[in-house]
């Protein structure tokens, strides 16, 4: 039986590429999204994959979704915490709401979904978890104290949970993407983006498929000896 993979934020951008890569790897993939129904419908039409709408930052919504997926598709054995948002602004201009939204969606979601899927993985003695961090969680970024805190939190969360999962065949790893050509990065002003690309040794933005390749590698059944690691995929922009 194919293992069930849940990819949060899986209907657009990096998440959509991850879903396709995991499907090609033979997983039964479920793609989560927040509210963009049009993008989710187009993704479903194109890939045939099941889509599930729920807010990863809300524990109760996650509980209902995990229960539904487990009953209707099967136990989740591969979890990719990819959903993320930005609410940028210098600390001086950042409201508490901007802080909370980014922490809840990027970091709180990892707690919610790992908490809900970990017991089943432990029972079956198999699990693959990948949390999507960021180069900006490693290096910091002007105007992103919320995002950098959430993403570097993900890197610490990953190392701690890896230690808890190791005895049970559960690996927990993180990926730290550099700048990838998705809607999130298209929102960055053109002149700022040009300066960013000039600092990437490989000379281009990343493609979503560059990140998906790393996720497929880390979630393979054979990757059982890789845990607690952070894989940087950033064109050489930050060597950490
Ligand atoms: P996009 O903005 O293109 O897509 C974000 C996805 O996350 C969408 O599917 C969106 O759903 C979903 N999402 C957002 N909030 C929630 C929520 N509360 N509950 C459920 N789903 C949610 O992002 P990217 O593909 O660019 O980024 C993917 C991940 O990679 C993020 O964690 C991001 O921080 C990280 N990253 C991205 C980089 C980049 O350069 N793009 C660089 C480094 C890290 P919907 O479609 O419904 O809005």
């Amino acid at each position: 039986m194919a293992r069930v993979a849940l990819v949060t934020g899986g209907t657009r951008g990096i998440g959509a590429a991850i879903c396709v890569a995991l499907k090609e790897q033979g997983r039964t993939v479920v793609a989560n999204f927040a509210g963009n129904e049009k993008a989710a419908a187009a993704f479903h039409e194109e890939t045939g994959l099941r889509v599930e709408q729920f807010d990863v930052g809300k524990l109760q919504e996650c509980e209902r979704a995990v229960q539904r997926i487990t009953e209707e598709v099967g136990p989740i054995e591969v979890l990719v915490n990819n959903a993320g948002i930005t609410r940028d602004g210098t600390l001086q201009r950042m409201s508490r709401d901007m802080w909370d939204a980014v922490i809840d969606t990027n970091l709180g979601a990892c707690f919610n979904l790992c908490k809900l899927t970990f017991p089943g993985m432990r029972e079956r003695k198999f699990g693959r978890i990948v949390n999507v961090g960021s180069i900006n969680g490693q290096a910091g970024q002007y105007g992103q104290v919320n995002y950098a805190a959430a993403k570097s939190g993900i890197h610490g969360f990953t190392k701690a949970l890896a230690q808890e999962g190791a005895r049970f065949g559960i690996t927990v790893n993180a990926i730290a993407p550099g700048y990838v050509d998705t809607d999130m990065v298209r929102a960055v002003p053109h002149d700022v983006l040009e300066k960013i690309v000039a600092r990437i040794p490989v000379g281009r933005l990343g493609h979503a498929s560059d990140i998906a390749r790393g996720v497929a590698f880390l979630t393979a059944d054979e990757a059982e000896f890789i845990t607690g690691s952070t894989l940087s995929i950033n064109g050489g922009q930050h060597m950490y």
Side-chain angles (χ1 to χ4, degrees):
M1 263 266 284
R3 297 191 192 279
V4 176
L6 171 64
V7 180
T8 68
T11 55
R12 287 196 287 127
I14 293 172
I18 294 171
C19 286
V20 171
L22 297 192
K23 183 187 174 195
E24 282 169 4
Q25 207 176 30
R27 307 305 195 193
T28 299
V29 180
V30 178
N32 149 264
F33 69 104
N36 189 335
E37 289 176 7
K38 209 171 145 198
F43 172 84
H44 172 68
E45 180 79 10
E46 198 183 312
T47 61
L49 297 178
R50 179 179 173 127
V51 295
E52 283 280 345
Q53 182 174 6
F54 60 94
D55 184 343
V56 293
K58 302 218 166 87
L59 182 60
Q60 279 187 342
E61 286 192 32
C62 292
E63 262 164 4
R64 284 195 289 269
V66 168
Q67 194 179 353
R68 201 164 52 236
I69 294 164
T70 306
E71 282 169 12
E72 295 174 16
V73 188
I76 296 164
E77 294 186 307
V78 179
L79 170 66
V80 183
N81 286 308
N82 162 78
I85 57 166
T86 51
R87 296 286 183 271
D88 294 351
T90 57
L91 181 63
Q92 201 174 342
R93 289 168 188 268
M94 189 175 291
S95 66
R96 179 68 202 210
D97 283 351
M98 291 160 79
W99 169 266
D100 287 342
V102 167
I103 298 292
D104 288 351
T105 304
N106 294 268
L107 182 57
C110 292
F111 173 83
N112 293 342
L113 287 163
C114 289
K115 171 98 183 145
L116 292 165
T117 55
F118 211 73
M121 292 178 184
R122 263 180 65 137
E123 258 170 45
R124 286 184 302 282
K125 299 267 189 293
F126 181 90
R128 294 284 178 270
I129 297 174
V130 172
N131 301 315
V132 179
S134 169
I135 187 173
N136 293 350
Q138 296 171 311
Q141 179 61 275
Y142 185 92
Q144 285 197 327
V145 294
N146 51 1
Y147 186 79
K151 291 302 193 182
S152 67
I154 282 178
H155 297 307
F157 176 96
T158 297
K159 292 177 206 174
L161 191 61
Q163 296 181 33
E164 296 183 23
R167 282 189 300 130
F168 302 100
I170 305 169
T171 67
V172 189
N173 292 288
I175 288 205
Y179 285 81
V180 181
D181 188 15
T182 67
D183 293 342
M184 185 181 270
V185 162
R186 278 176 218 127
V188 175
H190 189 67
D191 55 324
V192 177
L193 209 51
E194 271 185 352
K195 284 183 195 143
I196 290 170
V197 173
R199 291 202 309 268
I200 303 174
V202 167
R204 64 164 173 88
L205 291 174
H207 304 310
S209 57
D210 293 324
I211 311 305
R213 176 189 294 271
V215 175
F217 171 73
L218 291 172
T219 58
D221 282 22
E222 298 76 18
E224 63 185 26
F225 204 60
I226 309 173
T227 195
S229 73
T230 296
L231 179 59
S232 297
I233 305 180
N234 61 29
Q237 187 181 351
H238 180 68
M239 300 185 188
Y240 184 70

